[in-house]
Amino acid sequence: MAVINYITQIQFDFGAIKLARSECERVGIRRPLVCTDKGIVAAGLLVRLTDVLGAVPCAVYDGTPSNPTEAAVMQAVAAFRAHQADGLIALGGGSSIDLAKAVAILARHPGKLADYATIYGGSPKITAEVAPLIAIPTTSGTGSEVARGAIVILDDGHKLGLHSWHLVPKTAICDPELTFGLPPKLTAATGMDAVAHCIETYLSNAVNPPADAIAFDGLQRAIAHLERAVADGADREARWHMMSASMQGALAFQKGLGAVHSLSHALGGLPVSPHHGTLNAVLLPEVVKFNEAAVPAKVRAIAGVFGRRDGAGLAQAIRELNARIGLPPGLTAMGIGRDTFDYVADNALKDHCHATNPRAATRDDYLRMLEASA
């Protein structure tokens, strides 16, 4: 049975942030808590939002870490309650948006975050009572603004997913202007996150033809414009297409992801806290090679976007792209030692993305992919 559900209202264009107040009115948010991070505040983007909101009484939580944690979520929940907020605005990258989704759950539901984790059977416990959320991305990568999931590191160190259609933001305000100041390395890392989303969705074993089409188009946009966006952060056309590719990748990955994300979620829980998009970029070559035996025609189609013919050529093209945009060549260059690989492989098997990889991966398969990506 294929379940196909696209339910987010998306406001997409340069200057779209000007619609924040009217979108609050539309979805019934009168006292928002803004979830963001200190980098967004320093870049002046929070002021752009609060200027638009005007007299709307809002509070701000700006303590979002680079990978959202349970501790940060609980701080934001406390801020939500102290402000007597009735909704949330997430302003930032995927971390701020994912944190806001977790706050939306605990602001209106009892218990702990682990109670709502997908792998623990928690998704049905997330109800329509979640606090309404408007998401305004400032990076082009995660696509969390149109997705039903959030990834949070719990206090015990496990990086778990929270998934429910009730978590889809009521509005995604996608304004490419908000990405103009993004540094080249972060543009590269988030851009490869979008590439990984499009590729993994397209290869996933789930059935969702619209998602395949959206993902393939998003991939074409990303490959045509990522290097331009890295080279010139003010390239309006490149920024527009990269934000579209990011949004499209996440619209499509409602279908399901695969081994890249199973591994990167497990790696993301390590103390070194590597960037998720960079992890995806480094892992992607070996995963596409592994998957080619299961979906050869699809791998060849993706290889064609890169100007290559098969999985081996595609893997090499991805490595070369990573190098051109300044990403590390492997896991060890990111400070990840081989002594972590057993832990990572064990947790990749438990990840919610493991089941939708097009080729069933064993623990040994994951270990081989990690070693080849080192």
Side-chain angles (χ1 to χ4, degrees):
M1 177 69 71
V3 178
I4 300 171
N5 198 346
Y6 295 117
I7 58 175
T8 312
Q9 174 158 310
I10 303 167
Q11 299 282 6
F12 191 112
D13 206 354
F14 296 106
I17 193 173
K18 295 175 183 177
L19 300 172
R21 181 169 182 170
S22 62
E23 286 300 320
C24 281
E25 293 171 355
R26 186 184 69 83
V27 304
I29 297 176
R30 295 175 177 81
R31 294 182 61 84
L33 172 71
V34 179
C35 292
T36 189
D37 65 58
K38 289 179 172 55
I40 296 297
V41 176
L45 298 182
L46 177 63
V47 171
R48 292 181 64 176
L49 173 62
T50 54
D51 284 350
V52 170
L53 293 176
V56 175
C58 67
V60 175
Y61 175 77
D62 66 0
T64 306
S66 57
N67 287 299
T69 62
E70 184 175 10
V73 170
M74 297 313 299
Q75 292 172 1
V77 169
F80 184 96
R81 291 172 177 162
H83 181 57
Q84 297 182 320
D86 59 2
L88 295 141
I89 301 174
L91 176 69
S95 294
S96 293
I97 299 173
D98 281 9
L99 179 132
K101 290 177 182 177
V103 174
I105 297 171
L106 292 188
R108 302 277 180 83
H109 292 71
K112 299 181 178 181
L113 274 183
D115 298 332
Y116 303 97
T118 302
I119 64 170
Y120 297 151
S123 293
K125 300 176 185 177
I126 303 172
T127 73
E129 292 301 310
V130 298
L133 167 64
I134 293 171
I136 308 175
T138 59
T139 64
S140 295
T142 70
S144 188
E145 70 274 8
V146 296
R148 72 185 190 279
I151 305 295
V152 179
I153 300 175
L154 301 189
D155 290 340
D156 63 8
H158 285 94
K159 193 170 189 177
L160 299 181
L162 313 163
H163 295 84
S164 169
W165 292 111
H166 298 302
L167 292 180
V168 177
K170 301 298 183 185
T171 301
I173 297 177
C174 297
D175 185 343
E177 285 183 7
L178 303 182
T179 69
F180 280 4
L182 205 63
K185 286 186 178 180
L186 193 53
T187 298
T190 54
M192 285 304 296
D193 195 16
V195 168
H197 291 161
C198 291
I199 289 177
E200 283 224 285
T201 291
Y202 187 68
L203 298 182
S204 167
N205 62 18
V207 177
N208 190 324
D212 287 350
I214 292 168
F216 197 82
D217 181 82
L219 177 64
Q220 291 175 309
R221 292 176 189 274
I223 298 307
H225 295 92
L226 175 55
E227 291 182 77
R228 283 175 52 182
V230 171
D232 178 5
D235 184 325
R236 289 175 65 85
E237 182 182 26
R239 288 296 190 182
W240 192 99
H241 283 285
M242 286 309 302
M243 181 156 277
S244 183
S246 173
M247 177 266 294
Q248 288 177 242
L251 280 177
F253 73 47
Q254 314 300 346
K255 174 188 173 187
L257 291 164
V260 169
H261 281 76
S262 295
L263 289 167
S264 64
H265 290 158
L267 285 159
L270 296 176
V272 291
S273 192
H275 188 275
H276 175 70
T278 306
L279 282 172
N280 287 344
V282 168
L283 294 164
L284 193 55
E286 290 304 317
V287 173
V288 296
K289 282 173 61 178
F290 173 78
N291 284 333
E292 185 175 18
V295 281
K298 283 192 168 185
V299 169
R300 286 195 299 271
I302 292 172
V305 176
F306 286 77
R308 302 299 175 96
R309 294 184 176 182
D310 56 19
L314 172 58
Q316 184 59 28
I318 295 170
R319 290 191 188 93
E320 292 171 1
L321 174 59
N322 288 342
R324 289 197 302 273
I325 60 179
L327 295 182
L331 297 173
T332 55
M334 299 173 68
I336 299 169
R338 288 178 168 84
D339 59 326
T340 66
F341 288 178
D342 286 325
Y343 166 86
V344 172
D346 287 340
N347 283 279
L349 289 168
K350 303 173 187 176
D351 189 77
H352 61 277
C353 295
H354 170 72
T356 47
N357 195 65
R359 180 181 173 190
T362 66
R363 185 177 188 276
D364 285 343
D365 290 327
Y366 279 132
L367 287 171
R368 282 190 288 271
M369 284 183 262
L370 287 165
E371 183 61 37
S373 301

